[in-house]
Every structure is written in structure tokens, then in C-alpha cells.
Amino acid sequence: MHDASARFRALLPRHPAQAIALGFGTAIAAGTLVLMLPMAKSGPGGSGFLEALFTATSAVCVTGLAVVDTSVFWTPFGQVTIIVLIQLGGFGVMSFASLLGVLMARRLGLRSRMQTAAETKTTGFGDVRAVLFGVLRITAATELLVATALTLRFAIGLGNPWGHSLWLGIFHSVSAFNNAGFALFSDNLVGFVGDPWICLPIAAAIILGGLGFPVLFELGRHYRRPLHWTMNTKLVISGTLTLLAAGTAFICALEWANPKVLGGLSTADKLLAGFFQSVVSRTAGFNSVDIGAMDPATWLGMDMLMFIGGGPAGTAGGLKITTFAVLFFIMFTEIQGGAAVNVFGKRLSRSVHRQAITIVLLAVGLVTGSTMALMLMTDIGLDRLLFETVSAFATVGLSTGITASLPPAGQVLLVFLMFIGRLGPVTLASALALRSRPVMYEFPKERPLIG
């Protein structure tokens, strides 16, 4: 008995990152099995394995890419399964497991504290319990408010039955706050392109979820004292405002006269649509206009917005605003000839430099390699394939309309990208490392020629 328990403990993940990867993988596997049940699919029989796997991965990784029409292909049971997977993936698999542990046992073991701290980017193990309940309160409050606003609009403003309106409100609220982008309409939200009562609550939920829970916690405590904000909060807030404004201006400028996108709308509707697409391009896969009809130059700009993403330790995807802000300040300091990288009156640790550079290079390599692989599999143009791979890796979910037409190998590749993108390249690399290997010596320094 002792030997069996020892062998079982040896199989358990030792590194928190390994547990996070295993948790997400287990959730995807369970979701795939449930979605393959006949009761989850409309019509006779169950869904195919790849359809269920792709949908479950997209939901757990809060992406929004789909190979089938969510509103038609899946039954109400299947749609409930999808929204549960979205909520689980957005909250965090290990965080959810730890929350259950707190509610049932009133305490957390050291292993659970380490895993939850790693997933939520908590600075210490002692405040993990407070963080879990804080995340739960913010999630419940935001989703409840947005669901109420959407339900009232669907029922009173658009004349839908109250029961159906409530389901629409809940589904799209959860999908929006968790930055998933799943919708219960065949054209996503194109039918509401000029409806601020639908677009703005969804945009607000996306923005709040994309800020990250550490920023939301700090804003709740010190929203009137920005001088007391941490560097992380200042970078996320300033970066979010900058990217939202720049994205809106960019999309409106390039698509203003495009009759298939913004050209046929009023000025107010054009601005609303441009703002909405700027919001969702950062991390959520909703769309209120036809993405496939956009100019390729617009796709390239949206690639950049998707690649950057939102704030860390939240429901957003991408490489995070803070990562790119660190690279910007490194570049700015080097151009100025400075010795240390200073941001908002604080000096950045050199380990942060290495982390940012590593994350970006790994991400660029994954996206480039995946795009090349898809080019070998299909005859689809580079601009559309690049958009698809960036969207999958950044867990955004926007598409030019080619997801369902990709070959099975291409769809499996997108599943891999969504999984990697949700975990983060560094987290996955840490999860694969069996143990740390400290180096007890240093080599002599030498400078190669740069440039």
C-alpha cells in the first residue's frame, strides 16, 4: 500500500506550471467527451471527435474560434456545456479547484496554494484565499450586471421572450467577461452593429476582463490615487487606453468607405463598430462587421492588436500589454544610451528583460512556424492564414471565415496553438521542465557585434 501511494505521488505534477497544464488538458478532455454525447448535438447522432475537441479547446482556452455554428449545431445542453467550459477556463482550472477546496475543507494545502498562486500571478501564498474570493466576487458582479443589461435589451427593446432573453443575456455576458467570443447568433453580433445597448455592455465586460484581476483589485482599493498604483497597473491602464484609441482610429480610417464593412453605416454606427472591433481585436472573438470583407491591411493591424492582447492574470489572451511595454522601454532606454531601464520612476529587473524577450521570441516562432505549416496544407493566402494563427495563439477567436474549411491537420494545429496561447509559452516550457538546473559557475564575458 505504501509503495502504491508513493508511486501515485510520484506521478503528480511537482511544478505548479505542470499542474496548470494538466488541469487545462483534463478540462478539455472532459469537455470533449461531453460534447460528443448525442444529447449535445442537434439532429441524430453525436458530434465527431475533432468538432468536439476543437470546440472544447476553444471554450476552455476562452478563444471563440469555431468549426461549426454554435447556435445551430449544438443543443441547449451543448451550449450550456460550452458556457461552463468558458467559465472554468476564464476563472482558471486550478483556481476553481482550489476554490472548491476552500468551500469544502475551509483550507488550502501548500501544493494548492502554489498552483493557484502561479495561475493567478499572486505574489505570496498567504493571500491566495483572499484572491480566490476576490476573483469570484468580481466575476459574479460583472457578469450579473452585463447579463441584466443584455436581458432587458433582448426582451424589452427587441421583443424576445423573457426566458430566451435571459439565456441570451447570461451566455453572452459570460462569454464577454471571459473574453471568449462565442455567440448564439449565426452571424455572431453583425445584426447588432449599430445597437449600443448590446455592443457597449459586451465591450465593457471584455475590457474589465482584459485588464486582469490584479489591476481590478488595485483599482478597487486605490482608484482615486493613481500615484499609488503599481507599475503593473499603470502599464496596463495606459496601454489599454492607448491601444483602444489607436485601434479605433486605425479600423475606422481603413474601413470607413468599405461598403462591405463600415461604408453603408451612419457616422455614429461607424464609430461604434470601429470601437467595438478595436475592443474585441485585443482578446475577444466577437465581431459586429464582416471580418472576411476587410482590407488585408486592416487584418495586419488587427494581427498586431491580437498579438499584444490584454493585461496579465486575467481572462485576456495575447502576450500581454506589460510584455510589450517592457520591450518598448528597453528599446527606448537603449536608443537614449541609458544604463538601466526605468519605468514610472522604478527600475526594471534584468530578469524581466529576459522574460519579455523570451516570451516574444517563442511566440513569434510558434506563429511563424504554424503559419508556414498551414501554407503547406492549403492554398489559402498568407494574410488569412496569419490572421488565423495569431487569433488562435492569442486566444482571440476572430476569423476571416476559413476555420471550418481548414483540413483536419490544420484544425488540430489551431487546437495546439489555442492550448499553448492560453497557458503561455513560458508556463508551458516550465511545465515540461522536470526540474530546475542551477548553474554553479559563470563563463567569461564577451561582446559580439550587433547590427
Side-chain angles (χ1 to χ4, degrees), residues 35 40-43 46-48 51 68-75 79:
L35 289 176
K41 175 184 173 294
S42 299
S47 70
E51 294 164 338
V68 295
D69 187 341
T70 305
S71 63
V72 177
F73 187 85
W74 303 109
T75 63
Q79 294 171 2

Side-chain angles (χ1 to χ4, degrees), residues 2-23 26 94 111 115 431 433-434:
H2 177 73
D3 292 339
S5 61
R7 284 195 298 269
F8 175 75
R9 286 194 301 269
L11 294 175
L12 293 176
R14 298 181 180 180
H15 195 286
Q18 291 177 322
I20 295 172
L22 180 62
T26 302
M94 303 312 300
R111 183 186 296 272
Q115 294 168 356
L434 296 178

Side-chain angles (χ1 to χ4, degrees), residues 111-122:
R111 183 186 296 272
S112 296
R113 289 178 183 270
M114 293 174 62
Q115 294 168 356
T116 306
E119 189 172 60
T120 59
K121 303 296 189 295
T122 308

